[in-house]
Amino acid sequence: MENNKASNIKSSFVPKKKTFSEKFDDFKKSEGFYNYKKSKSAIAGTIIIIFIVGVALLGPLFTVQDPYDIASLSLMDAYRAPSFMDPDNTQFLLGTDQQGRDVLSAIVYGSRVSLYIGIVATLMASVFGITLGLISGYYGGKVESIIMRLADIQLSFPSLLIALFLMTIFGRGVTNILLALLLVGWVKYARTVRGATLSVKSSEYIEAARVIGLPSYRIIIKHILPNVLTSIVVLSTIQIGNFILTEATLSFLGLGVPVTEPSLGMLCSNGFVVLFSGMWWVTVFPGLYIMLIVFGINLLGDFLRDEFNPKLK
Amino acid sequence: MIKFLIKRIWQLVIVLFAVSLLVFIMTSLVGDPLSLLVKENASASQIAEATEYLGLDQPAYHQYFLFVKNALNGDFGVSYRYQQSAIHLIIERMPATLELVVIAMALSIVFGIVFGVYAGAYPNSFLSKTIMNLSIAGISVPSFWLGMLMIYIFGIKFGLLPVSGRGEVGTILGIKTSLATIDGIKHVILPALTLSMGSVASIIRLTRAGIQENMVQDYVKLARAKGVKNRKILFGHVLKNTLIPIITIFGLQLGSLIAYTTITETIFAWPGMGKLIIDSINSSDTPIISAYILLVAVIFVVINFVVDLLYCVIDPRIELK
């Protein structure tokens, strides 16, 4: 009897766990979602992103050839103009390059490389940066000042230049590019997370957690990390776009992905050679697609930033 | 003020120390310096001589000191490709790059601030929304691609403007510049436009944000209540208060413009530092690479210093610390 009463009291104080559909209903009623529905650019960004991810995942099922497979290329098809300029060409919608590679297929496969690098590099940079940011914000002291001085020095140089020199040391390759982007990208995360940690650290519930004797790592993961999560999501959205652009630029300069795994930037670079003979489609379409990807990401990223973190402006 | 200067110079020393250490490690990692200095069929005595010259028989820290000592004397070694002093080669090409950067910077400040102020003052007008969407497009477009597009449209398709090189170089006030001749000006248009595009977009966005932030402040309300003209509020009061963040981004943009000259110069075959460094990277010409990195590091630290000084000029409330 006594026991029952105790559990009754307890259950009336513990908020009921919400099911997923209830949470979803809450989300649909939230202010953020209302603003989202009203923002044309955020919706446009979402549509672009869904389209791009769809193309990257399913595109290879529909392309006329596998641009990596040299056997499927035929020099007979080289130098074909896009369909809308050359009515005889019904097979290669966006034309072909000097080796008879279908530009559209190359874009589909190239976007996979670009997106892979953008997303994985962002994940790596965020994990590394968040860890350093949490450590320096929570523990302070010497560790903090070393990490933050390093960040200051790095921030006074443009990230493109740092990435360029790192790639000079590392040499071409997908793994090397990921590493270079990680070393370039961690700073923003470390700074944002450290700032947020500092402001959360002095709040009463963290003090309470410390008083009841929770270990530091638990306080950091369970109580501080969730508070900095929105800033991280906002930052990451924009970072993916930045990384895709940086990778494209490096690849264009010949310091990015290897020739065997052409990203969109590399396709532009290949097309530059034949641009002067008037074959604009080989380089214009891949570049346009890079722009579309980054544009979509930035549209959504802008909305998220305004919505969740006005200070980041 | 003096305290500030000392602090800044100390900072410069630390940055240069860190960068020089990195450059030193990099040059030791990229290839065997010995193989670059002596020929394949060199005799044992030639190899020994080169080893001693590079200090390769000494411990690593000693090699580093040797590197720093030479660097302080402006000696980064001789370029493998051009057989000339590396630092001399870079300085020779600096004016071409600076010319491009200065023009691009001027373009981005003028267009960036004009459009930014407009978009901030009338956020709901159709033109403002167009400006803002274009500015997102501007930061999303790869600059090398934009350059290629310009080459195709203005150079190849319509043949309006030259797309390669610097053109005829004349002399104004003792400085050799493309701006002195009509041919030179024609050559500079496309690269400068390409280079400025990203900065224009960033400055537009920042100016707009600053204007909007200030428009709701009390002093604007007071000015309105007093009956001050809208134009005067905008340019006399609000813009002044927006300048601080703009100056900050000005410094950052100047840095990134210098970084992006590597791309613009490569595309337009502009004979500046940026093209030189990319060519050198592709041919592993380490003396030029290390000289360039250290030089650029100095430039960036100086830019940051000047930006800090400008803060005080614009806003006397800010004290140098």
Side-chain angles (χ1 to χ4, degrees), chain B residues 255-288:
Chain B
S256 79
L257 282 181
I258 292 176
Y260 275 93
T261 53
T262 51
I263 300 153
T264 320
E265 289 180 4
T266 305
I267 295 171
F268 289 96
W270 189 265
M273 291 163 31
K275 186 168 161 37
L276 179 72
I277 184 68
I278 295 298
D279 290 346
S280 305
I281 288 175
N282 286 332
S283 58
S284 314
D285 203 339
T286 29
I288 292 188

Side-chain angles (χ1 to χ4, degrees), chain B residues 47-65:
Chain B
I47 291 177
E49 202 179 308
T51 310
E52 200 179 336
Y53 172 75
L54 291 170
L56 291 179
D57 48 349
Q58 308 281 347
Y61 68 88
H62 193 272
Q63 288 180 39
Y64 173 68
F65 282 126

Side-chain angles (χ1 to χ4, degrees), chain A residues 49 234 237-238 295-306:
Chain A
I49 292 172
V234 173
T237 318
I238 298 168
F295 186 63
I297 292 173
N298 280 339
L299 280 179
L300 190 66
D302 249 30
F303 168 79
L304 290 177
R305 183 179 54 188
D306 291 351

Side-chain angles (χ1 to χ4, degrees), chain B residues 40 98 194 222 233 294:
Chain B
E40 275 165 33
L98 289 184
T194 308
L222 176 72
I233 295 178
L294 280 171

Side-chain angles (χ1 to χ4, degrees), chain B residues 15 37 50-51 71 74 83 119 135-136 157 191 206 218 229 261 264 269 315:
Chain B
V15 169
L37 201 70
T51 310
Q83 300 299 327
S135 80
I136 298 189
K157 188 91 183 166
L206 202 87
D218 286 341
K229 291 249 167 58
T261 53
T264 320
D315 189 348

Side-chain angles (χ1 to χ4, degrees), chain A residues 156-158 161 165 168-169 245 248-249 252 255 268 272 275-276 280 283-284 287-288 290 294-295 298-299 302 305, chain B residues 26 136-137 139-142 144-145 148-149 151-152 156 205 255 259-260 263 267 281 292-293 296-297 300 304:
Chain A
S156 60
F157 296 95
L161 219 50
F165 291 124
T168 313
I169 304 175
L245 270 187
T249 307
F252 174 75
L255 287 165
C268 287
F272 190 42
L275 181 70
F276 289 95
W280 54 271
T283 173
V284 166
L288 206 59
I290 298 178
V294 183
F295 186 63
N298 280 339
L299 280 179
D302 249 30
R305 183 179 54 188
Chain B
M26 186 199 84
I136 298 189
I139 54 170
S140 309
V141 61
F144 61 87
W145 181 71
M148 294 196 284
L149 210 61
I151 287 182
Y152 182 74
I156 299 170
R205 297 168 68 73
Y260 275 93
I263 300 153
I267 295 171
I281 288 175
Y292 180 86
I293 298 177
V296 164
F300 285 145
N304 287 336

Side-chain angles (χ1 to χ4, degrees), chain B residues 160-173:
Chain B
L160 290 175
L161 290 164
V163 294
S164 171
R166 207 181 164 193
E168 206 176 308
V169 180
T171 311
I172 302 178
L173 302 172

